[in-house]
Amino acid sequence: FDRLWVTSELAGHVQAIQATQTEISQGSEQSVVQLAQTALPTLQAHYDELVQLANKLGIPVPQTSASGTPSPGGTGTESPAPR
């Protein structure tokens, strides 16, 4: 169960981070962009903690792009670049 939960949460946080970054860069509604800017550090912190837990459990972690953005479907063990 722990492995399944961590894997699911990692995937969900990758998607949430990517959607949030897209909203920040392409959003047209200022209040939504501001909400995304506020939420992004929390999402990234949660992702970082999930990466640490996954590493302890030996669970593959989604790889990140050069910008530190998690990439869905990755199988590496990298964590996002420092913020």
Side-chain angles (χ1 to χ4, degrees), residues 22-33:
T22 298
E23 187 61 40
I24 290 168
S25 65
Q26 298 176 13
S28 59
E29 180 64 42
Q30 188 59 33
S31 63
V32 178
V33 171

Side-chain angles (χ1 to χ4, degrees), residues 4-68:
L4 180 61
W5 182 83
V6 171
T7 300
S8 174
E9 288 296 310
L10 281 168
H13 278 74
V14 166
Q15 291 175 342
I17 289 168
Q18 289 175 334
T20 301
Q21 289 174 328
T22 298
E23 187 61 40
I24 290 168
S25 65
Q26 298 176 13
S28 59
E29 180 64 42
Q30 188 59 33
S31 63
V32 178
V33 171
Q34 288 176 338
L35 177 62
Q37 290 170 331
T38 300
L40 185 58
T42 301
L43 290 168
Q44 289 175 325
H46 289 175
Y47 179 81
D48 291 344
E49 291 194 22
L50 285 163
V51 167
Q52 289 178 8
L53 181 57
N55 286 334
K56 286 181 184 177
L57 296 174
I59 298 169
V61 176
Q63 293 182 346
T64 58
S65 69
S67 67

